[in-house]
Amino acid sequence: MSDWKTLEEKSFYSASARERAHGVVDEGTFTELAGPADRMSSPHLPVLGEAVEWDDGCVTGVGLIGKHPVFVISQEGKFIGGAVGEVHGAKMVGAFVLARQMYERIKEEYPDELAERLPAVVISFETGGVRLHEANAGLLAHAEVMDQIQETKGKFPVISLIGSKVGCFGGMGFVAAATDVIVMSDLGRLGLTGPEVIEQEMGKDEFDSADRSLVYRTTGGKHKYIMRDANYLVEDTLGAFHETLAAIMDEPYEEIVKNRRIGSEELVDEQLALAGLSVEMAPKDARDVWAYFGNEDVEQIPEMTTAEFLAVAKRR
């Protein structure tokens, strides 16, 4: 890997999955599990005449943030757009299983130190969702990961990092929404349906996927922060994501997980209220929504630095 200082300053957006895995935990603590040497590649792709990767586009391992064991899942968008298939999904599930085993061991051996040694699962998303080449195997992988997130409830946090080139879309958008905390950069993108798919289904007049400004106003980090779909907005460096993770892990568990509300009546009511608001407002653009929540100079928001934006942003 790169020199740590260089790695810390590297753009999260342009970093590889392996660089992100090393960079978001403390210096020199990351150990990769089920790496390329283990030759875990998709059994489905060769049948279709597709090339394989020996890590199947998913880097998994464990590192430390302070005394906290952090199990990292980092997706590689350069391989089939980070899409999730059978092996990719199995590696994600495996990281959760190991994290739960670690939690039980710490609880048994260090009960008085559980808070300061509490493990976490951190997912660095770079994916379009299901790997269509693997169909049901990819869908099943999504369901299994969602089950694993539910199994962590009341035990330890699951944290999403979103700031890579592909963004986080498709079924993995659901997975990210089910985690306890979402950390994004301005360059991060989060959604359930990718811009190209929206254009294909709705037409270019409705949504032009080539309009970079429109795409970021709709799915980008600043919009998601205003809408409270993202808990933190950080600078585009590995160091900034690492620093934010360290601050999160210093918080009491109850504080970290207070936003996990999947399936709650509170969240259903909130979604119904937003649906009603959309009918009332009939917004033509995200800027209409930003203004509704009290933001001024909405035309300037896309041009603001992260620091400038955070100093003035009004959230839903």
Side-chain angles (χ1 to χ4, degrees):
M1 297 304 297
S2 309
D3 171 79
W4 177 256
K5 187 64 178 175
T6 303
L7 188 63
E8 193 175 40
E9 294 173 350
K10 186 177 180 66
S11 163
F12 192 95
Y13 182 80
S14 61
S16 68
R18 199 158 276 106
E19 287 174 325
R20 283 180 267 125
H22 280 262
V24 298
V25 295
D26 292 348
E27 178 180 2
T29 66
F30 183 76
T31 298
E32 186 165 352
L33 305 171
D38 295 303
R39 294 296 195 263
M40 296 186 67
S41 62
S42 169
H44 306 282
L45 296 179
V47 179
L48 300 171
E50 298 283 349
V52 301
E53 284 284 352
W54 294 125
D55 58 13
D56 206 46
C58 182
V59 175
T60 55
V62 61
L64 289 172
I65 293 181
K67 291 185 178 181
H68 299 282
V70 175
F71 291 81
V72 181
I73 300 165
S74 188
Q75 298 176 314
E76 181 53 73
K78 290 181 180 177
F79 182 62
I80 318 183
V84 179
E86 182 179 6
V87 172
H88 185 132
K91 291 178 71 173
M92 294 182 75
V93 169
F96 277 92
V97 172
L98 291 174
R100 287 211 317 277
Q101 291 174 351
M102 177 66 76
Y103 170 80
E104 295 298 337
R105 180 176 176 182
I106 292 171
K107 188 171 70 168
E108 180 180 345
E109 297 184 10
Y110 305 96
D112 297 333
E113 300 177 31
L114 182 58
E116 63 180 301
R117 294 176 180 267
L118 192 70
V121 173
V122 170
I123 310 174
S124 176
F125 287 98
E126 186 179 20
T127 177
V130 174
R131 186 180 298 175
L132 298 182
H133 312 65
E134 301 190 27
N136 290 344
L139 289 169
L140 180 60
H142 281 66
E144 289 177 337
V145 173
M146 291 287 281
D147 282 344
Q148 291 298 319
I149 292 174
Q150 289 300 97
E151 288 292 327
T152 69
K153 192 171 184 178
K155 299 181 178 71
F156 55 85
V158 183
I159 302 169
S160 299
L161 309 180
I162 303 174
S164 300
K165 289 183 179 179
V166 175
C168 178
F169 291 102
M172 281 287 126
F174 284 104
V175 172
T179 62
D180 298 302
V181 180
I182 297 178
V183 183
M184 295 184 71
S185 73
D186 182 20
L187 297 175
R189 292 180 296 139
L190 170 63
L192 301 181
T193 305
E196 291 81 7
V197 178
I198 296 174
E199 179 184 308
Q200 177 181 312
E201 296 299 319
M202 304 297 294
K204 196 165 187 174
D205 291 341
E206 182 69 23
F207 195 94
D208 183 357
S209 65
D211 185 340
R212 182 179 173 87
S213 178
L214 172 64
V215 169
Y216 272 90
R217 290 199 306 276
T218 309
T219 65
K222 287 175 179 172
H223 178 63
K224 295 301 178 180
Y225 182 78
I226 289 173
M227 298 303 295
R228 294 190 182 274
D229 293 330
N231 304 90
Y232 297 87
L233 189 74
V234 303
E235 299 286 353
D236 174 40
T237 65
L238 287 170
F241 276 87
H242 171 252
E243 182 180 328
T244 301
L245 274 177
I248 292 169
M249 294 308 298
D250 278 342
E251 296 179 358
Y253 171 74
E254 293 76 13
E255 184 67 21
I256 299 173
V257 302
K258 68 181 181 181
N259 294 302
R260 186 192 291 198
R261 298 173 296 153
I262 295 297
S264 68
E265 290 185 10
E266 178 189 7
L267 188 58
V268 172
D269 290 342
E270 188 176 309
Q271 293 301 313
L272 288 172
L274 285 173
L277 179 62
S278 69
V279 173
E280 173 191 334
M281 287 181 58
K284 300 297 184 183
D285 189 277
R287 289 172 294 205
D288 299 335
V289 180
W290 301 346
Y292 179 86
F293 289 118
N295 290 280
E296 301 177 359
D297 298 323
V298 293
E299 297 292 340
Q300 296 303 313
I301 284 178
E303 308 304 321
M304 292 179 183
T305 66
T306 299
E308 290 169 343
F309 170 75
L310 291 174
V312 299
K314 302 292 192 305
R315 307 180 72 187
R316 176 174 64 83

